[in-house]
Amino acid sequence: MTPYPVIWFILITILYSGFFVLDGFDLGVGILLPFIGKNEQTRRMMVNAIGPHWDGNEVWLIVAGGATFAAFPQWYATLFSGFYLPFFLLLVALIFRGVAFEFRGKDDNPRWKSFWDWSAFLGSLVASFLFGVAFTNILRGVPIDANMQYVGGFFNLLNPFAIYGGLMFTLLFILIGACYLVIRTGDPVESAARKLAGQLWLPVTLMILVYGACVWLFGGNSGFLGWFAMIFFIISAVAALVSGISTKKGRSGWAFIWMSICILLFTFGIFGWLFPNVMISSLGVENNLTIWNASSGVTTLQIMTVVAVIFVPVVLIYQSWSYWLLRKKVTGENESLHY
Amino acid sequence: MRLFLEVLEIDADGGAMSGTNLSQLQFAITTIYHFFFVPLTIGLAVIVAIMETLYVVKKKPVYKLMTKFWGTLFLINFAVGVVTGIVLEFQFGMNWSEYSRFVGDIFGAPLAMEGLMAFFLESVFIGLWIFGWERLNKGLHLATIWLVAIGVNVSAFWILAANSFMQHPVGFERVGDKLVLTNFSALITNPYLMNQFPHTVLAGFTTAGFFVLGISAYHLAKKNKSEVFQRSFKIASIFSLIAVLGVVAMGDRQGKGMVTMQPMKLAAFEGLWETEEGASFSLVALIDQDKEENPLAIRIPYMLSILATNKLDAKIIGLKDLQKENEQRFGQGYYIPNIPLMFWSFRIMVGLGFLMILLSIIAIFLAYKRKAFEKTKLFWLFVPVIAFPYIANTAGWLMTETGRQPWVVFGEMLTKNAGTPMLNVRPWMVISTIIGFLLVYAILIVIDVFLIAKYSRKIPSENSTLDNAPEGDQAVSEVTK
């Protein structure tokens, strides 16, 4: 048995976790736009805080999708065709929130700005929610037949657990978005975001525990790491708690770091529960897609491993450098505003 | 719309609209649309990088104004390109799941590498470029735009490597009901790719060259005495000529490559039904695909053989013989693509290519003659021709992709077998998403054109007093706001 499918399962886990942390706060800031951004000046500060980074963060999703396609074509094919309509809505949402950031500053007409603020808000909200719905359904198991085809229809995806998952993701993203705004913007955005982070950490902590319990109770047949997944969810909840305490103590940098850890571990929990499955079939264990029956051949996986080993660290270095370079807080002063 | 419907007819099975037909329609819409933005991104990144290099080397403020003016237009265009690109990656799985299963082992890898090597590069460094004017030193800031330019071109390489496999599959073997990669270096040195990559990238350079020419010409024609546009026009005229000559040269090589790699495509875009030695080239023709003949054609004797092989009397295999040969190899079926569509796409592409050579020579003449930029009327000519590369790009892709039909991977999988089975994605779903994409894309194009027009008309100058500017940079900041 070759180790490559395991390696790629881990790499894809890392890519999705990275995406949920990094674009998580972009999406959160997008959702918070109408709530914390009470006027044009504050909304502009918020958009500028994520402006230089949102695109690079979204690439984590594109690479995660591409890696899924390359390493596990069957997973990619079953998932993307099975979740056809939700993924279409996801695409529309991501299109609108992306151009919203780029275009809102390009004209001064208040209706123009308000149109883009709405598309950033709705786009971020819908995308966050759908990520939760999609991943929760993967955990819960969906009807997949013996030919690896999804046979569940659209409304099968809208079950209470999945909707709870949608809310869960949305709140996680809002909270990390608030933590990000605290460290990256000045007042009045900073204090409003801090206040919100101070209110949200407790419900989020509890919700993560409930989510873990739901996975245990309603999740599809887990692999052999089910217990590990539970531990990940519990530590994830603890991280949210520590993040909340850090916020209360005014250690905003730590609050953000702990929220990042929270989302990382939360995603590890999801993938840990799945392993070694990649799609759980509700029609019987024998229909599960696993890292073995869904993967590409060894040659492809070997080459991709070499490429990933070289380029993932390089990307991490220059992307981190871009955050470090633009670490100065976004204030109301005009020269720091480009969007 | 008519074009799209013609694309649909490619599916030789005909009859009612199947799910695969609908997915083809959707793919045509989303891909052609995405490719309105990509070529300009590819070329303009390089032009902006050249301008900023001039600024850093020569230290003249006018080059900074130029960098920022074109940089703003680049960013507007780039944004739409980015968001419409995600659709394509998702779409293979959503609408073409059988294709993805069949070929994912090979096709997925270049896509993943495109993300890892190119998308990260361009997206991270474009953010730094936008925000870096005040925070990075000049050399480092210049490096960011070059990294963006490299990123977009690397991206083109990987996606074309994937496409080239569909056109001319190499480096694989068939294992059961799947294709499996056996030789990665064959995949990325695919002879088809070696022509397709430079041809496409240079087409992007041409698109950007004519874009800069056209917008500069607009200002020059209106007698806006800004050095920005004179210098931009000069740079773009030379850039365009080199690029378009390269496109034509690479296109010629591609045509010659098709004699062995894709004889069906060659015969198809020439509308050549019978095998001929010393084949003639039809300048224009009436084509009757049902009767398999061209009732009327204006021909240049021997020209096709010369174009395809450099030899006067070379034998070019016609469509009828190729059909027989394909039936022997692959079994019963209709293997001839949509001939009129290919024939005319090819002629539009090539015709515009030659016109653009002429136009860029005129541009160089206007820019470098004595008393250059004095007679302004002629500059109006360059405004509408901004559209030429766009039309040629679209025609080129229509020809390339329809010429591959009825195959999705040539010789390995038929398009009609590549779509997602209709038991999970039903036709009404595809129809809904087609309508959805059309609506979203219509909104986007209106906004994009509005913004491009708005920011194209701004006249950058060093002493205009505008808001939001660090000292000394007023006009500049206005443009990038």
Side-chain angles (χ1 to χ4, degrees):
Chain A
M1 228 192 276
T2 85
Y4 289 107
V6 179
I7 295 174
W8 275 91
F9 184 86
I10 295 170
L11 267 170
I12 286 170
T13 307
I14 292 171
L15 287 167
Y16 278 111
S17 332
F19 170 70
F20 288 142
V21 171
L22 294 171
D23 213 28
F25 60 70
D26 296 335
L27 292 165
V29 171
I31 297 171
L32 289 175
L33 208 51
F35 300 105
I36 290 185
K38 292 289 182 204
N39 53 43
E40 169 56 20
Q41 171 80 354
T42 46
R43 280 193 293 271
R44 215 174 148 202
M45 284 167 68
M46 292 169 74
V47 171
N48 274 272
I50 51 174
H53 303 300
W54 77 267
D55 189 5
N57 297 341
E58 193 180 78
V59 175
W60 283 80
L61 173 68
I62 297 173
V63 175
T68 312
F69 193 175
F72 302 104
Q74 309 298 329
W75 182 10
Y76 170 78
T78 304
L79 176 64
F80 282 63
S81 63
F83 292 13
Y84 189 85
L85 286 180
F87 278 14
F88 166 73
L89 291 176
L90 180 63
L91 286 171
V92 173
L94 290 175
I95 287 174
F96 273 108
R97 76 106 197 208
V99 282
F101 295 148
E102 298 298 322
F103 287 171
R104 82 177 293 286
K106 296 263 183 271
D107 200 277
D108 289 329
N109 186 330
R111 278 162 66 193
W112 171 272
K113 300 238 185 233
S114 134
F115 173 78
W116 291 120
D117 289 344
W118 274 103
S119 39
F121 167 69
L122 285 174
S124 303
L125 183 68
V126 170
S128 306
F129 186 78
L130 288 175
F131 280 121
V133 170
F135 276 84
T136 307
N137 271 310
I138 295 175
L139 272 185
R140 181 173 170 266
V142 288
I144 294 171
D145 70 11
N147 299 317
M148 296 187 173
Q149 301 290 355
Y150 174 80
V151 287
F154 175 58
F155 291 100
N156 212 315
L157 301 173
L158 293 177
N159 51 76
F161 182 22
I163 289 167
Y164 180 70
L167 290 174
M168 175 82 254
F169 271 60
T170 309
L171 271 168
L172 281 173
F173 294 164
I174 291 175
L175 181 49
I176 195 170
C179 292
Y180 180 78
L181 286 175
V182 174
I183 55 173
R184 287 286 288 118
T185 59
D187 275 334
V189 176
E190 181 186 351
S191 48
R194 179 174 291 121
K195 192 172 157 218
L196 187 80
Q199 292 162 344
L200 272 184
W201 65 271
L202 189 59
V204 166
T205 305
L206 297 175
M207 276 184 77
I208 295 172
L209 292 173
V210 174
Y211 189 87
C214 287
V215 173
W216 187 256
L217 293 172
F218 311 119
N221 44 2
S222 79
F224 35 82
L225 293 179
W227 276 102
F228 268 103
M230 288 305 122
I231 294 169
F232 282 136
F233 285 125
I234 290 167
I235 308 176
S236 168
V238 172
L241 182 103
V242 179
S243 166
I245 295 169
S246 309
T247 300
K248 292 274 177 204
K249 288 189 174 169
R251 292 180 192 151
S252 44
W254 284 107
F256 176 76
I257 289 171
W258 280 106
M259 244 346 263
S260 306
I261 294 171
C262 165
I263 292 181
L264 278 180
L265 289 169
F266 185 83
T267 320
F268 290 175
I270 290 175
F271 281 83
W273 181 267
L274 279 178
F275 186 86
N277 299 312
V278 290
M279 293 285 288
I280 298 172
S281 172
S282 56
L283 302 181
V285 204
E286 66 281 2
N287 291 356
N288 283 357
L289 274 69
T290 70
I291 59 168
W292 311 111
N293 69 14
S295 81
S296 284
V298 179
T299 314
T300 302
L301 294 176
Q302 271 173 342
I303 289 160
M304 295 224 316
T305 305
V306 174
V307 171
V309 164
I310 298 169
F311 280 91
V312 171
V314 173
V315 168
L316 280 173
I317 289 167
Y318 66 66
Q319 197 165 28
S320 317
W321 181 66
S322 85
Y323 279 97
W324 173 249
L325 216 60
L326 304 178
R327 66 192 178 279
K328 202 176 139 207
K329 271 176 178 274
V330 178
T331 60
E333 293 162 44
N334 272 330
E335 74 238 52
S336 64
L337 302 175
H338 283 269
Y339 280 86
Chain B
M1 204 59 207
R2 221 185 98 76
L3 265 184
F4 291 139
L5 292 177
E6 292 198 58
V7 175
L8 279 181
E9 287 168 13
I10 296 155
D11 198 326
D13 283 11
M17 291 266 258
S18 69
T20 308
N21 289 147
L22 289 167
S23 289
Q24 275 187 294
L25 175 62
Q26 178 164 317
F27 200 87
I29 293 168
T30 53
T31 315
I32 290 174
Y33 189 87
H34 178 58
F35 209 73
F36 280 148
F37 303 95
V38 173
L40 186 62
T41 299
I42 291 174
L44 203 51
V46 176
I47 293 185
V48 172
I50 291 174
M51 288 171 172
E52 193 170 343
T53 308
L54 288 169
Y55 169 61
V56 172
V57 174
K58 297 195 174 179
K59 300 185 178 66
K60 279 190 190 162
V62 64
Y63 288 117
K64 187 171 182 183
L65 288 176
M66 285 159 68
T67 307
K68 291 220 167 187
F69 178 84
W70 298 109
T72 302
L73 296 176
F74 173 81
L75 290 175
I76 294 167
N77 175 72
F78 184 71
V80 187
V82 166
V83 294
T84 53
I86 319 169
V87 175
L88 297 188
E89 195 197 49
F90 276 48
Q91 204 164 237
F92 294 114
M94 289 167 69
N95 294 65
W96 303 96
S97 66
E98 290 308 300
Y99 169 76
S100 303
R101 292 179 201 282
F102 180 69
V103 83
D105 192 289
I106 300 156
F107 193 84
L111 257 57
M113 291 179 193
E114 182 184 21
L116 208 50
M117 295 183 192
F119 290 159
F120 272 124
L121 203 62
E122 55 189 76
S123 60
V124 168
F125 286 101
I126 197 67
L128 278 178
W129 187 76
I130 296 169
F131 278 75
W133 284 104
E134 301 92 16
R135 290 181 179 85
L136 300 176
N137 69 41
K138 277 184 188 174
L140 212 51
H141 192 264
L142 176 63
T144 62
I145 191 70
W146 275 112
L147 287 167
V148 172
I150 291 168
V152 295
N153 283 281
V154 170
S155 155
F157 177 83
W158 286 112
I159 194 65
L160 290 172
N163 179 263
S164 295
F165 181 82
M166 301 164 78
Q167 309 284 348
H168 183 247
V170 289
F172 70 100
E173 67 182 0
R174 201 176 178 128
V175 177
D177 54 357
K178 281 191 280 189
L179 299 187
V180 176
L181 184 69
T182 53
N183 187 343
F184 182 68
S185 51
L187 186 73
I188 58 174
T189 55
N190 189 338
Y192 187 90
L193 174 65
M194 295 299 111
N195 297 333
Q196 178 79 327
F197 173 62
H199 184 68
T200 310
V201 162
L202 288 167
F205 288 15
T206 309
T207 309
F210 274 79
F211 182 82
V212 174
L213 279 181
I215 290 169
S216 305
Y218 166 84
H219 288 279
L220 295 167
K222 293 195 96 179
K223 303 188 183 165
N224 295 334
K225 289 255 180 273
S226 169
E227 225 190 313
V228 165
F229 298 111
Q230 295 193 356
R231 283 182 193 271
S232 299
F233 193 88
K234 280 184 161 181
I235 292 173
S237 65
I238 292 178
F239 189 85
S240 298
L241 182 64
I242 296 171
V244 73
L245 285 174
V247 174
V248 172
M250 292 318 301
D252 177 58
R253 278 193 56 177
Q254 246 178 331
K256 291 182 166 60
M258 275 173 205
V259 177
T260 49
M261 282 188 271
Q262 293 186 305
M264 181 65 93
K265 192 185 268 182
L266 176 75
F269 67 66
E270 297 299 358
L272 184 74
W273 294 103
E274 309 290 345
T275 302
E276 283 182 38
E277 279 178 32
S280 60
F281 176 84
S282 301
L283 219 50
V284 289
L286 274 177
I287 292 163
D288 189 331
Q289 184 149 7
D290 293 331
K291 287 188 187 154
E292 304 202 320
E293 61 179 31
N294 304 342
L296 207 71
I298 301 173
R299 292 153 170 270
I300 307 173
Y302 300 109
M303 195 61 193
L304 178 54
S305 287
I306 296 172
L307 282 175
T309 62
N310 289 341
K311 283 184 209 122
L312 197 67
D313 54 352
K315 183 155 101 178
I316 308 291
I317 317 271
L319 291 163
K320 289 180 184 173
D321 286 337
L322 288 167
Q323 164 68 19
K324 278 182 214 145
E325 191 189 306
N326 274 299
E327 283 202 325
Q328 272 175 12
R329 252 176 90 187
F330 305 114
Q332 277 275 308
Y334 187 63
Y335 297 97
I336 300 177
N338 183 326
I339 306 299
L341 178 65
M342 297 213 35
F343 184 87
W344 289 111
S345 302
F346 179 72
R347 272 146 192 79
I348 288 169
M349 176 185 75
V350 172
L352 288 175
F354 282 107
L355 258 179
M356 286 189 274
I357 294 180
L358 185 69
L359 284 163
S360 29
I361 293 171
I362 296 174
I364 291 177
F365 174 73
L366 286 177
Y368 288 91
K369 71 179 169 108
R370 273 201 296 165
K371 296 186 184 169
F373 301 113
E374 272 197 347
K375 290 222 172 90
T376 52
K377 281 258 161 55
L378 208 49
F379 285 99
W380 283 117
L381 173 66
F382 287 89
V383 179
V385 302
I386 292 176
F388 280 11
Y390 287 91
I391 300 169
N393 292 336
T394 307
W397 274 112
L398 272 179
M399 183 196 123
T400 305
E401 295 299 287
T402 59
R404 179 169 42 79
Q405 306 301 330
W407 301 99
V408 65
V409 179
F410 186 82
E412 299 297 329
M413 186 187 224
L414 291 167
T415 308
K416 64 175 180 183
N417 299 328
T420 300
M422 284 296 120
L423 89 174
N424 46 22
V425 176
R426 304 218 160 74
W428 70 265
M429 291 186 182
V430 188
I431 292 170
S432 322
T433 56
I434 290 174
I435 294 169
F437 280 125
L438 281 174
L439 278 174
V440 172
Y441 284 3
I443 296 171
L444 281 186
I445 197 79
V446 169
I447 289 160
D448 182 79
V449 169
F450 161 73
L451 283 178
I452 295 274
K454 174 180 168 181
Y455 283 89
S456 301
R457 281 201 293 262
K458 284 194 189 284
I459 303 171
S461 79
E462 285 158 80
N463 41 18
S464 59
T465 48
L466 292 155
D467 61 333
N468 168 33
E471 68 313 324
D473 274 352
Q474 280 91 347
V476 175
S477 302
E478 154 68 7
V479 183
T480 20
K481 189 169 60 178

